[in-house]
Amino acid sequence: MFELLPLLKGWQYKVKTIINPETYTSKVITILDEQDKSGWMISAEVISDDKHLKISMWIDGVLVATNTPQGFYYGGSRLLEGIPNTFLYGQMIPGTNTKLYGMSMFISNGYPYNNHIKVDLETTKDVLFIESYQAYYIEITDPELFKQ
């Protein structure tokens, strides 16, 4: 579908991001929550001080992918169960004062959603430091124009 998007109208790329580091005391942090929209999820990325951080993706109310980097070593990637062609990659960020860990969930051909997309982070720490996060997705902004 991605190869056809330049020929269509009524859609746009969207990026949800924080660039200012934040500290959270909540065990679950929602980094993306879009309702009443349709489109494709592309990726979610986070840099935090929790090497056991769990990332979960909900599509139209169904948990379709959840994982922590515990199942593989940092600096490696692997396929996730749940969504075809989805990779989870983790890396310890060198040269930082605090040990920071980066994690990226990437869906190579996008994952369609009809009404609702949500990405959560879950920590076991009492205080979670997030250096940054980003979520990339494509949103259909005008369904009628998109169908033409």
Side-chain angles (χ1 to χ4, degrees):
M1 181 66 191
F2 284 137
E3 63 274 0
L4 296 177
L5 285 175
L7 305 174
L8 302 172
K9 297 178 181 175
W11 66 274
Q12 67 180 7
Y13 287 109
K14 302 282 274 191
V15 179
K16 170 99 186 255
T17 186
I18 66 160
I19 53 175
N20 296 326
E22 292 187 39
T23 301
Y24 297 87
T25 55
S26 175
K27 294 291 185 185
V28 177
I29 300 102
T30 299
I31 62 170
L32 176 66
D33 192 2
E34 293 289 328
Q35 295 186 22
D36 302 322
K37 305 284 183 187
S38 296
W40 291 267
M41 183 66 192
I42 300 170
S43 71
E45 305 161 356
V46 62
I47 297 176
S48 77
D49 67 346
D50 185 358
K51 69 178 180 179
H52 302 291
L53 191 67
K54 180 177 171 182
I55 187 168
S56 300
M57 186 182 307
W58 302 79
I59 303 280
D60 297 325
V62 176
L63 179 63
V64 295
T66 186
N67 217 313
T68 67
Q70 293 172 326
F72 67 101
Y73 62 94
Y74 272 94
S77 65
R78 69 181 177 93
L79 286 168
L80 281 181
E81 294 179 14
I83 303 176
N85 300 317
T86 302
F87 294 89
L88 182 71
Y89 175 81
Q91 177 68 51
M92 193 168 114
I93 311 299
T96 57
N97 294 335
T98 308
K99 280 192 174 180
L100 293 178
Y101 303 89
M103 197 166 45
S104 176
M105 184 184 294
F106 176 74
I107 306 159
S108 61
N109 55 352
Y111 196 83
Y113 61 96
N114 188 39
N115 188 44
H116 186 220
I117 180 75
K118 183 175 154 184
V119 178
D120 288 334
L121 304 174
E122 186 175 343
T123 184
T124 57
K125 297 178 73 170
D126 292 330
V127 177
L128 174 67
F129 174 75
I130 295 181
E131 175 76 21
S132 66
Y133 67 73
Q134 295 181 344
Y136 297 90
Y137 57 107
I138 293 172
E139 180 182 295
I140 297 174
T141 55
D142 186 336
E144 294 306 315
L145 191 59
F146 188 77
K147 292 176 189 176
Q148 293 181 1

